[in-house]
Amino acid sequence: MSITSSPSQPTNSEMIKPDAIRIIVLDNIAQEGLDLLEQAEGIEYEIQTGLSGAELQSALAEFDGAVCRSGVKITAESLAGNTRLKAIARAGVGTDNIDKAAATRLGIVVMNTPTGNTVSTAEHTMALMLGLSRNLAPAHASLLAGKWDRKKFSGRQLAGKTLGIVGLGRIGQEVASRARSFGMTIVGYDPFLSNSQIEQLGIEPCEKVENLLPQIDYLTVHTPLTPETEGLIGAEQIAQMKPGARLINCARGGIYDERALVEGLESGKLGGVALDVYRSEPCTDSPLFAMPGVLCTPHLGASTEEAQIQVAEEAVTLLTNFLKHGEIRHAVNTIAVDPQTMEKIRGYLDVAYRMGILMSGRHAGAIESVSLEYCGELAEQDTRLLTSAFCVGLLENIADHANIINAATLCEERGLDIVTQASREQDTFNSMISATVGGDGIECQASGTLFGKGMPRLVMVDHYPTDAFMDGFLLIFTHQDIPGVIGYVGNILAKENVNIAQMAVGRKAEDVGGRAIGVLNLDSETPQSALDQVLEYPGIDSARMVRLPAHNEMPDWLT
Ligand code: NAD
Ligand code: MLT
């Protein structure tokens, strides 16, 4: 059942089921997206647009998921203290209106809909390029003012001209194919694409932006706004262009230095400027607006019926699939995992998570370094998520709200040095995860694997082979491999009425009578007094209890 409320309508709290998943829609999205929310089982939603400040913060605290466009600004302050929100879906590409670092720290996944508005934005870029070249806006205004001036508005053809494209991702490539059909030559720059990839797109690659500038009649940028792209085109770059170059920006304000654009137009160096996006939005006042040769739209690149339906439907689907089934797609602050990959690695995520708990339980001091090794078939997967799962386990008893989204960040913030390596070589098992944690002069090692689909097994402790269930209560002790040790430990546990569910003793094959490790799966916890007695035995030099989740008990993010 769903609930909709306009900003002025209070929530009908009597209708809200306590266990329902609650979604807040923070910007206007297409009705088709709202229809999907309406039809979704177990989901309730409210529309609350125009929120900011404390109002936004208290609204967000009441919901599990949020859908937005670029209107609302989801700042660190608006997320502060939020323990409920799990995901934000952006109906659109740019997520610069969301503080992703703050969301990540709180374990909130941020997703976007990268493809829904690509074509619309590429078409808008072409529209601006054509409009600029053929003086459409001033000619229209002049005609409406009663003038029939054909000479003044004579323009330029696109055919035969050179277009420079900076950023050859989805939109950049769509623009390129449209520009080619207009008979333009295209030169492009994108440091993340190889020259041969760029050539295959029918674009002449440039090693640097500077190489492209002297060649172009038109320049369009299609990159995100990043520290590298901010102010990418300023006075210095404009100076390198041919006189009369025309500049278009349908990506993000701030990539062009707006002051330099004004100066370039004033000096006659630039033949025209067309902008859809601005340094600060909404932007209703700019020195550019009054200048001839300027064509501006209010961030309309994605504003078509088709694009808005597509991004709204996609954002709602992403959000509901994540909140209901844990499926992460198009995440911008964590690794996206499709359902098939998730199914493949789910069991090992559980192994990694349990190993994290085990290692933090075994290591008595402050952990400073973590080394993880993924071996065998598992090494073929993207192992970053497994590392995150390990970190969740490591922080389980240390940090509140650690989850698969924020755990690695939280570990880094604690100064933990995490090193990972993957090796396709198989040892005894098809796949295995090995962890070594160090700090405070202590080092602990363990390896885990998965038996069947859902039986995490501990197969090595401190490099001694073993075979123990990775669930419930584990008593791990190191000792000398001599008769009597196991009987002694068993007797102490029996006196405490602690039942041993399974027992494994391991030592290196060549080390008869040397050091060995004992791992006991117990049905209940051993009191410290019993552990103290265990440690009194001359052959035993360490003994530690570790509590792992019960068999089949999984954290929320894994179910
Ligand atoms: P994309 O991720 O598919 O492509 C971006 C490209 O920029 C990538 O190929 C990347 O390698 C490249 N890039 C990154 N840093 C670069 C740098 N320093 N120099 C050169 N290239 C660099 O993204 P997209 O979907 O094509 O979107 C592009 C931009 O358009 C984004 O900023 C997005 O927010 C914006 N956008 C605007 C509208 C609108 O309404 N005006 C609509 C959709 C998207
Ligand atoms: C985007 O990043 O998707 C665009 O800027 C479109 C929008 O928000 O309307």
Side-chain angles (χ1 to χ4, degrees):
M1 187 196 70
S2 308
I3 299 170
T4 54
S5 71
S6 70
S8 54
Q9 287 176 309
T11 303
N12 182 348
S13 53
E14 281 170 13
M15 292 172 74
I16 296 173
K17 290 185 202 146
D19 54 352
I21 293 170
R22 304 195 67 219
I23 289 177
I24 184 167
V25 180
L26 294 163
D27 286 312
N28 290 321
I29 62 165
Q31 184 57 43
E32 284 76 359
L34 299 178
D35 291 345
L36 287 183
L37 282 172
E38 194 71 47
Q39 291 150 16
E41 281 288 314
I43 300 267
E44 290 169 352
Y45 76 96
E46 284 182 34
I47 305 168
Q48 294 192 35
T49 55
L51 298 183
S52 63
E55 221 184 354
L56 176 61
Q57 183 183 15
S58 55
L60 286 172
E62 308 271 307
F63 293 87
D64 302 287
V67 184
C68 67
R69 283 188 62 192
S70 57
V72 67
K73 306 289 171 240
I74 305 182
T75 58
E77 292 71 36
S78 61
L79 293 172
N82 197 314
T83 53
R84 180 159 181 176
L85 197 69
K86 297 176 191 68
I88 302 167
R90 159 79 158 98
V93 181
T95 49
D96 33 4
N97 57 322
I98 303 165
D99 189 324
K100 291 180 283 298
T104 305
R105 222 169 288 119
L106 290 167
I108 300 166
V109 62
V110 180
M111 298 175 269
N112 71 350
T113 58
T115 55
N117 58 29
T118 302
V119 167
S120 290
T121 310
E123 287 186 0
H124 196 66
T125 307
M126 294 307 294
L128 290 181
M129 221 188 306
L130 287 163
L132 205 56
S133 303
R134 304 306 295 268
N135 301 307
L136 294 187
H140 177 76
S142 161
L143 183 58
L144 294 197
K147 296 180 195 153
W148 186 259
D149 201 337
R150 297 182 64 201
K151 198 161 176 240
K152 186 173 177 192
F153 300 115
S154 170
R156 292 267 195 94
Q157 283 188 178
L158 295 187
K161 304 294 184 311
T162 299
L163 169 67
I165 307 182
V166 177
L168 295 165
R170 287 172 293 261
I171 299 171
Q173 291 186 26
E174 291 295 337
V175 169
S177 81
R178 280 155 183 75
R180 212 174 10 261
S181 72
F182 273 83
M184 300 184 91
T185 300
I186 303 144
V187 292
Y189 168 72
D190 191 318
F192 303 102
L193 264 70
S194 67
N195 281 356
S196 71
Q197 282 172 310
I198 296 178
E199 278 160 3
Q200 274 166 24
L201 297 167
I203 300 169
E204 191 186 309
C206 289
E207 292 299 324
K208 311 189 261 191
V209 177
E210 280 66 30
N211 298 0
L212 160 158
L213 300 173
Q215 306 179 48
I216 51 109
D217 300 294
Y218 292 82
L219 177 70
T220 182
V221 286
H222 298 286
T223 68
L225 180 67
T226 64
E228 287 77 38
T229 61
E230 186 166 7
L232 187 77
I233 305 296
E236 204 185 305
Q237 289 70 28
I238 292 172
Q240 296 173 56
M241 294 176 192
K242 289 194 247 176
R246 290 174 166 80
L247 273 50
I248 299 103
N249 187 359
C250 275
R252 279 293 176 268
I255 300 174
Y256 291 155
D257 174 349
E258 288 175 20
R259 183 73 242 146
L261 296 180
V262 172
E263 286 164 10
L265 286 164
E266 275 169 354
S267 70
K269 176 80 178 176
L270 292 178
V273 167
L275 301 181
D276 184 46
V277 286
Y278 308 87
R279 188 86 192 84
S280 158
E281 292 185 13
C283 173
T284 50
D285 187 20
S286 162
L288 284 164
F289 291 173
M291 299 187 81
V294 173
L295 177 57
C296 288
T297 48
H299 203 146
L300 292 182
S303 296
T304 63
E305 211 179 298
E306 295 85 349
Q308 285 314 307
I309 292 173
Q310 216 173 313
V311 295
E313 287 181 342
E314 210 184 324
V316 167
T317 307
L318 287 174
L319 192 60
T320 52
N321 280 352
F322 175 73
L323 293 172
K324 290 173 98 175
H325 313 296
E327 179 185 322
I328 304 177
R329 296 197 64 213
H330 300 313
V332 294
N333 65 337
T334 185
I335 309 120
V337 192
D338 60 78
Q340 290 81 5
T341 310
M342 188 65 182
E343 250 349 274
K344 265 194 215 158
I345 64 167
R346 190 187 297 277
Y348 277 99
L349 287 172
D350 193 23
V351 171
Y353 163 64
R354 284 166 193 265
M355 285 186 64
I357 302 177
L358 181 97
M359 299 311 273
S360 90
R362 277 208 73 218
H363 191 285
I367 297 173
E368 287 156 16
S369 65
V370 173
S371 162
L372 293 169
E373 192 181 355
Y374 303 102
C375 297
E377 287 170 6
L378 201 56
E380 284 158 29
Q381 306 295 329
D382 185 337
T383 55
R384 288 174 299 170
L385 213 55
L386 294 161
T387 303
S388 297
F390 178 89
C391 292
V392 181
L394 204 66
L395 295 176
E396 179 93 347
N397 299 312
I398 302 168
D400 275 347
H401 313 304
N403 68 15
I404 196 91
I405 315 297
N406 63 5
T409 306
L410 294 178
C411 282
E412 277 164 26
E413 282 177 358
R414 275 162 210 271
L416 258 185
D417 182 23
I418 302 175
V419 178
T420 62
Q421 51 178 311
S423 151
R424 289 197 166 73
E425 270 177 43
Q426 292 177 355
D427 193 359
T428 318
F429 305 98
N430 281 351
S431 290
M432 189 167 83
I433 303 173
S434 292
T436 305
V437 299
D440 266 355
I442 307 163
E443 190 173 279
C444 301
Q445 188 276 342
S447 302
T449 190
L450 192 68
F451 283 9
K453 274 194 162 173
M455 277 190 287
R457 295 294 269 243
L458 185 61
V459 294
M460 198 169 282
V461 175
D462 291 347
H463 305 286
Y464 293 95
T466 185
D467 178 15
F469 295 116
M470 234 197 279
D471 50 57
F473 301 96
L474 264 70
L475 172 60
I476 303 177
F477 58 99
T478 51
H479 59 98
Q480 202 176 349
D481 182 27
I482 48 169
V485 175
I486 309 301
Y488 175 80
V489 175
N491 266 335
I492 291 169
L493 295 176
K495 269 193 252 154
E496 296 290 344
N497 206 23
V498 176
N499 189 47
I500 301 175
Q502 109 126 13
M503 189 170 96
V505 184
R507 64 151 199 246
K508 289 174 190 155
E510 68 283 1
D511 210 10
V512 179
R515 305 305 307 156
I517 192 123
V519 184
L520 305 187
N521 287 106
L522 307 176
D523 285 339
S524 56
E525 195 152 10
T526 315
Q528 186 56 45
S529 56
L531 286 184
D532 292 342
Q533 286 178 58
V534 167
L535 281 167
E536 278 168 19
Y537 195 79
I540 299 178
D541 46 28
S542 80
R544 253 189 117 70
M545 273 293 306
V546 178
R547 185 174 185 171
L548 296 177
H551 178 61
N552 274 343
E553 190 190 327
M554 297 239 192
D556 287 352
W557 49 267
L558 251 183
T559 48

